[in-house]
Amino acid sequence: MPNVSAEADREAFTLALGRLLYGVSDITLLDGTKVSHDWRYFVVLKGLNQTGKSTIYKALVDVLKLLGFKAEPFTSLDSRFNMATPLSAALAYCPDMVEGELKRSVTTPLFKNAVSNEDVYTENKGKDGIYIKPTALFLAMANELDPSTFYKGDSGTLDRLLIISTDSIEKQAELLPFADGASAGTPSLSPYHHWRWLADRYDVS
């Protein structure tokens, strides 16, 4: 995620994606490696309009689907209804989560179960409910975020919540003269324009 947010944020996001790509817990890979992780992040990608949130999640969804992973939308964790599909995907994403919905999602009992590999009871309306084992990394996009939303959150919730901020348009412009490596010479560090420039430069889609 080059030139989108601070280095620490990029590293944390990489770790979150690594757990998605490495597989669910309690499985053994073909090389004999045992996958064991007790929880996954609920990632909130926060930033103003036109700072790269939509570009990032759309690219991530497209890439995961091309690689054979399931990526499914969700709106909230505030209800047990119709959650089986996103909970059992590799990525569950919400393109636009408003602040009130985010607060309800992280304070519901479903939140902890969904990110901690605990069985979750879910049902489609009109059908019998079932217990499923969650596998999804959750990713929600938000334009604004009030820190007081999490003041009453317990430590378990806060540990599993990863808030990443995209650089503002002004910050992207400030960093532009220092772009190096593959990004050297780019006309813009806005993810929408920069990633297209990279694709054209290296002849990839």
Side-chain angles (χ1 to χ4, degrees):
M1 198 165 63
N3 304 309
V4 174
S5 54
E7 184 64 28
D9 284 350
R10 291 198 292 270
E11 290 184 3
F13 193 55
T14 300
L15 290 173
L17 292 178
R19 289 196 171 186
L20 180 161
L21 297 171
Y22 208 64
V24 298
S25 191
D26 299 324
I27 64 171
T28 302
L29 303 181
L30 293 177
D31 64 359
T33 302
K34 181 70 178 294
V35 177
S36 180
H37 50 77
D38 296 328
W39 54 275
R40 293 173 300 283
Y41 281 117
F42 185 106
V43 182
V44 180
L45 190 58
K46 178 184 77 71
L48 299 176
N49 289 333
Q50 300 182 337
T51 57
K53 300 188 306 298
S54 294
T55 300
I56 294 167
Y57 100 77
K58 288 178 180 178
L60 181 59
V61 168
D62 288 346
V63 168
L64 288 175
K65 287 183 175 180
L66 283 173
L67 294 174
F69 291 91
K70 287 176 58 180
E72 298 289 344
F74 78 103
T75 56
S76 174
L77 295 183
D78 193 28
S79 171
R80 70 178 185 275
F81 292 108
N82 303 314
M83 286 300 297
T85 299
L87 283 170
S88 59
L91 177 73
Y93 62 93
C94 179
D96 185 16
M97 180 167 280
V98 297
E99 193 167 315
E101 202 64 67
L102 178 60
K103 183 174 184 178
R104 287 190 291 273
S105 290
V106 301
T107 55
T108 179
L110 178 57
F111 175 88
K112 274 192 175 180
N113 289 349
V115 298
S116 301
N117 297 333
E118 301 292 337
D119 288 347
V120 171
Y121 181 79
T122 181
E123 59 184 295
N124 293 333
K125 290 186 177 180
K127 297 183 178 180
D128 293 337
I130 57 172
Y131 282 95
I132 65 168
K133 178 73 73 175
T135 58
L137 167 71
F138 286 87
L139 174 64
M141 275 52 68
N143 288 338
E144 297 181 2
L145 190 61
D146 182 352
S148 66
T149 298
F150 311 108
Y151 284 172
K152 294 183 179 180
D154 60 60
S155 59
T157 294
L158 297 178
D159 283 347
R160 290 157 176 76
L161 190 64
L162 177 60
I163 301 173
I164 297 176
S165 299
T166 56
D167 284 333
S168 66
I169 295 174
E170 292 77 14
K171 184 64 173 179
Q172 291 172 4
E174 180 183 326
L175 294 173
L176 182 60
F178 305 99
D180 57 10
S183 299
T186 181
S188 173
L189 287 179
S190 162
Y192 178 82
H193 299 288
H194 180 52
W195 290 5
R196 289 172 180 265
W197 178 84
L198 286 172
D200 291 340
R201 181 179 186 181
Y202 294 99
D203 193 26
V204 295
S205 58

